[in-house]
């Protein structure tokens, strides 16, 4: 598909189109959910610039999957059964990565102050944006059908990003 111009003027009055063409307000829960996932994806793109090849590959895999998540959230469905699932293999990969990093980290005591270095601080920002995306999706799921695999992925991803922040702080410290 070739895009000749980026502006359409169709959103000038505060409305946008969901997948399938349905017009909704830009503050609609569905728009807020996929918009926050999109914001997370942008921050993940920033995070990748600070990562080693191994960690960057994992985060880039997440980014590609988040496009699927966004598409799923942008598409209104009649029932959860109609929603294509997000592959659960990524949640398993994130768990394995968390276990790998955990084995390399010292024992933690108390709270963690976000920061430490640019990589760790960016991972902390990604984690908090991911948690906000998860809250937005949970709010949407209270009113409309949302794939359980989307909720599982966002929950696991926020854990992964927190673990990655700890790892990057210790690794680069």
């Amino acid at each position: 598909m070739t895009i000749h111009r980026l502006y359409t003027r169709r959103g000038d009055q505060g409305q946008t189109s969901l997948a399938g063409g349905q017009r909704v307000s830009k503050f609609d829960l569905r728009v807020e959910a996929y918009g926050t996932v999109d914001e997370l994806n942008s921050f993940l793109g920033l995070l990748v610039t600070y990562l080693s090849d191994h960690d960057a590959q994992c985060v880039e895999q997440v980014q590609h999957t988040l496009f699927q998540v966004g598409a799923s959230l942008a598409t209104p469905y009649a029932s959860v059964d109609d929603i294509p699932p997000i592959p659960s293999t990524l949640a398993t990969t994130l768990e394995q990565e968390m276990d790998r990093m955990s084995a390399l980290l010292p024992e933690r005591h108390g709270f963690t102050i976000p920061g430490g270095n640019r990589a760790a601080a960016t991972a902390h920002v990604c984690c908090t944006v991911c948690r906000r995306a998860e809250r937005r999706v949970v709010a949407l799921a209270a009113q409309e059908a949302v794939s359980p695999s989307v909720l599982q992925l966002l929950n696991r991803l926020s854990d992964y990003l927190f673990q990655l922040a700890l790892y990057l702080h210790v690794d680069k410290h």
Side-chain angles (χ1 to χ4, degrees), residues 12 25 57-58 92 108 121 170:
D12 290 353
S25 171
Q57 287 175 348
C58 185
T92 302
R108 281 183 49 241
V170 170

Side-chain angles (χ1 to χ4, degrees), residues 106-118:
E107 187 176 323
R108 281 183 49 241
H109 301 284
F111 291 101
T112 300
I113 301 293
N117 57 59
R118 287 182 179 161

Side-chain angles (χ1 to χ4, degrees), residues 54 58 61 88-103 156 160 163:
H54 175 81
C58 185
Q61 182 183 1
S88 63
T89 55
L90 182 54
T92 302
T93 298
L94 294 176
E95 290 171 357
Q96 292 168 346
E97 285 299 305
M98 284 186 278
D99 292 342
R100 177 188 67 82
M101 289 183 283
S102 183
R156 203 69 77 253
Y160 166 80
Q163 184 78 31

